[in-house]
Amino acid sequence: MPKRTVKFLLVDDLDANLLALEGLLVREGLELLRANSGPEALELLLVHDIALALIDVQMPGMSGFELAELMRSTERTRTVPIIFLTAGAVDQQRRIRGYETGAVDFLLKPIDSANLINKANIFFELARQRRELEDREELLRDANDRLAETNGELAFADRRKDEFLAMLAHELRNPLAPILTGIEIMVSSPGNAAVVGDLAEMMRRQMSQMVHLIDDLLDISRINTGKISLKKKRISLIPALNEAIESSRPIIDRMRHQFTFETTEEDLVMEGDTHRLSQIVSNLLSNAAKYTPPQGMIDMKLMRRGDNAIIVVRDNGEGIESAAHERIFGLFQQVNPNRRDGLGIGLTLVRNLVELHNGSISVASDGHGKGSEFTVILPIQVDEVSQPVPEQSAVLTAPTTKRIMVVDDSETTVEVLSLFMQMAGMETAVAYDGEEAVQVASVFKPDMIFMDLGMPKMDGFEAARCLRENHPKALLVALSGWGRDEDRVRSKQAGFDGHAVKPVAPEDLRRFLAMLK
């Protein structure tokens, strides 16, 4: 805050007297204002904050007393201290009148310079201290205002946190409830193959939904910390879109929507991440299905416009009010705030993934009940041939019997993974901590080891170093609930050949088994 100057007002009809006063009073931090008459002084008083007025008593037109009386009748100047300057003797009556008009003192001309300077210094210091106090009070008010604003933001964030946790619990319980019920039915009807098969498929879908939700949350976290990376390569857009359609087909079919996909005959090629592009479109299709009443219509088009591919997803569902067109891309924002289904992270993730591909996304809607249209624009490689190089898919069939060891302090994880390996024709051994893993491996001689990272006695990192030293040809796969890039780097540095994020999908297990030769 800039330091404010103290202002004195000097009023005298003679310029020589004003110059003399200025010479005596001049000092750093003090601004001296001059007036040759009462009316001129009043004009200055109405504009400036005056700390002291030194007023000549005898002036033509308006005397110093008359000026003082006018000052006392005005709210702005009522409290300005006045020192009267007079050339004549001040009788008792004149002195009383002066004090009644608000004078704090009288000084006789010729002015005693030391006396004037001492009195002026007192009022200067009083004014300076008052200004400092006012400045501190203003800073305190500003701080209080900022504190109140911060408290309001914190309270809002706390409410949003509570809403988010409640919605997260709701979204996790939704798939958990049918899974638990399905387990109970399977236990009570073990011989009914048809029922067990249907329940297993349902449970697979529900688990996939939970994993998708958790993956989206992790992706948002990675994006916010700048740690998400794309595995870009030259790809065709149509297979990525077909993958997205396949992923969204269950909810589209469940809502009995009519779905059409219109594309160009020309195959569009770009530098991109197939999985992330599929994730973009899958989220848009799932949103369209969710916010469109049953038996609605969802259309998707892939077009080329110059050097860009245009993906349009259109529905005839609930629509979006124009005021919310930008807001819905914000984190934890709902397309329809009245429907508390979902965490409000899908469109945030979509926008970020589109921008990571150097593209853009926009929404158009005529309002409630008028449907919505999302348009994604992505740059393509116009000089490339139409057919991209086909992706090399890994062989997922495991070789003949191999020795697999599973290490985890969770008995359930060990039991399930061992059963999976045995059903795949593998010979298995188990351990429940790092120390036991080293001992079992010395006898079992495993070809591959699936090992948890966080275990008692000896964690997976230390155990991996021991196992790598004693079994250099064995393949090590880390089992972890963490899947960040830095987690994968750390496990690789510890000697692991692969990193599997729990819960590990069956297709990922098969891919790891396919590493065996």
Side-chain angles (χ1 to χ4, degrees), residues 48 51 71 149 188 235 255 325 340 377 392 481 510:
H48 300 278
M71 289 171 62
E149 183 179 350
S188 62
I235 62 170
M255 298 294 288
H325 284 186
R340 304 301 295 174
I377 302 177
Q392 298 296 322
R510 295 189 188 98

Side-chain angles (χ1 to χ4, degrees), residues 362-373:
S362 61
V363 61
S365 176
D366 292 330
H368 184 69
K370 302 292 182 64
S372 306
E373 180 178 291

Side-chain angles (χ1 to χ4, degrees), residues 58 198 293 349 352 487:
Q58 299 293 335
D198 290 342
L349 182 58
N352 280 279
D487 299 315

Side-chain angles (χ1 to χ4, degrees), residues 314-329:
R314 181 188 297 114
D315 63 66
N316 63 345
E318 295 180 11
I320 305 168
E321 298 298 333
S322 58
H325 284 186
E326 182 61 27
R327 175 181 60 80
I328 60 173
F329 291 103

Side-chain angles (χ1 to χ4, degrees), residues 430-445:
V430 302
Y432 298 95
D433 61 61
E435 289 184 358
E436 186 180 1
V438 174
Q439 295 170 4
V440 172
S442 65
V443 177
F444 184 64
K445 307 296 183 184

